[in-house]
Amino acid sequence: MQRCVPSLATKAQQLGLALTDPALAQALDAADPLAAVREEFIIPGADEGQAYLCAHALGPQPKGTAALITEELAAWAVKGCHGHTEHPTGKPWTLGGGIDERYTDVLADIVGAKQDEVTLMGGLTGNLHVLMTSFYRPDKSTGRHKLIFEANAFPSDLFAFNSQIRLAGYDPATSLIGLHPRAGEERLRTADILAAIEEHGSETSLVLFAAVQWYTGQLFEMEVITKKAHEHGALVGWDCAHAAGNVEMALHDWGVDFACWCNYKYLNSGPGATAAIFVHEKHFDRLR
């Protein structure tokens, strides 16, 4: 929110409109260079004059989806297993430009990464487990075992955190540091997150937040939080499920250690679609 309001306020001032004036939203829509892209999607309820505000759960279907799926079904029917490498339209499913290698340039641009730092794989929660297995490495010799997170994180994330703590042989009651908003407030203050990192820093192995809070829509200050955690020797991961395709990010430049996201929300890939991960290149040699 802190990042969005100043730019909106400036535009509102330029137009002589209040931030809460519907005319501001209409003016911004009219000036949006991507407005025409709306016509490439089937918007649920649009014919009845309804607004679809559920992309945080499932993005609307691109109009070309049915034809593309039919194309893949035809490839399967004609080629069978050979579609993995000899796809009739030149889009092999695996090996030599398979689905995990195609369009990584687009993914990298969306999340602010280098192309070899991202790939398509698995599902969101499974990928979170895989990444935490690599990056949550508590160390008894240094006393680092804590995981700092947002207490109101998406339930599947909370289950993953709990599982990974137990898998590493620790007690969630003492290793999980969940942060709540202040009494009477809906959003976590950045200052409170930084203070928690200061307080638990020497015992913290990992700081892991959602980039955009799934319920309130709060956009966390990713760069600031990542920098503070690194100053205290902790690694940092981000669940970007509600951020990818929704907000600008610079995962590589911010030094984020890892991130994961699904592609069916603001990236409109459909239910059950393959998810994606980011791992900063600074970890490539270590992970090998």
Side-chain angles (χ1 to χ4, degrees), residues 17-265:
L17 297 169
L19 273 174
T20 55
D21 191 333
L24 175 61
Q26 294 167 351
L28 293 174
D29 283 347
D32 185 356
L34 295 177
V37 177
R38 176 185 173 85
E39 299 305 315
E40 298 180 17
F41 293 86
I42 303 170
I43 310 297
D47 292 342
E48 291 77 40
Q50 300 173 1
Y52 186 71
L53 300 177
C54 300
H56 66 289
L58 181 65
Q61 183 184 125
K63 291 179 178 177
T65 299
L68 289 171
I69 291 177
T70 300
E71 183 180 280
E72 296 306 317
L73 293 174
W76 177 20
V78 173
K79 285 290 188 177
C81 70
H82 298 294
H84 285 294
T85 54
E86 301 172 10
H87 196 284
T89 62
K91 296 182 291 187
W93 300 321
T94 60
L95 305 177
I99 135 181
D100 60 326
E101 298 176 13
R102 288 201 306 277
Y103 314 123
T104 51
D105 57 334
V106 177
L107 279 179
D109 187 49
I110 288 171
V111 300
K114 292 187 176 181
Q115 188 170 348
D116 59 354
E117 293 176 322
V118 298
T119 192
L120 288 161
M121 60 177 274
L124 175 60
T125 304
N127 287 345
L128 183 59
H129 276 288
V130 169
L131 289 165
M132 288 187 69
T133 299
S134 296
F135 287 96
Y136 175 64
R137 295 293 182 88
D139 187 340
K140 284 186 169 63
S141 67
T142 62
R144 288 188 180 274
H145 64 97
K146 292 183 178 180
L147 189 162
I148 298 176
F149 67 105
E150 184 226 343
N152 294 323
F154 198 77
S156 55
D157 282 11
L158 297 176
F159 293 141
F161 300 163
N162 193 292
S163 295
Q164 289 294 322
I165 294 292
R166 294 181 183 278
L167 184 63
Y170 287 82
D171 182 355
T174 54
S175 293
L176 286 179
I177 308 300
L179 307 184
H180 292 271
R182 296 185 186 187
E185 298 184 359
E186 295 182 350
R187 295 181 296 274
L188 266 172
R189 298 189 187 189
T190 300
D192 292 344
I193 298 172
L194 302 184
I197 295 173
E198 288 274 2
E199 179 183 354
H200 300 280
S202 63
E203 299 177 289
T204 299
S205 173
L206 181 64
V207 174
L208 181 48
F209 276 73
V212 172
Q213 214 281 342
W214 69 280
Y215 189 77
T216 66
Q218 179 180 1
L219 172 60
F220 289 104
E221 295 190 69
M222 300 172 68
E223 183 178 12
V224 174
I225 294 168
T226 298
K227 180 180 179 181
K228 175 61 71 172
H230 284 164
E231 288 174 357
H232 288 270
L235 296 176
V236 185
W238 292 92
D239 176 347
C240 297
H242 293 266
N246 185 26
V247 299
E248 291 185 14
M249 294 184 286
L251 298 183
H252 175 85
D253 290 345
W254 294 340
V256 170
D257 295 293
F258 70 89
C260 54
W261 62 94
C262 48
N263 292 306
Y264 57 79
K265 299 181 187 294

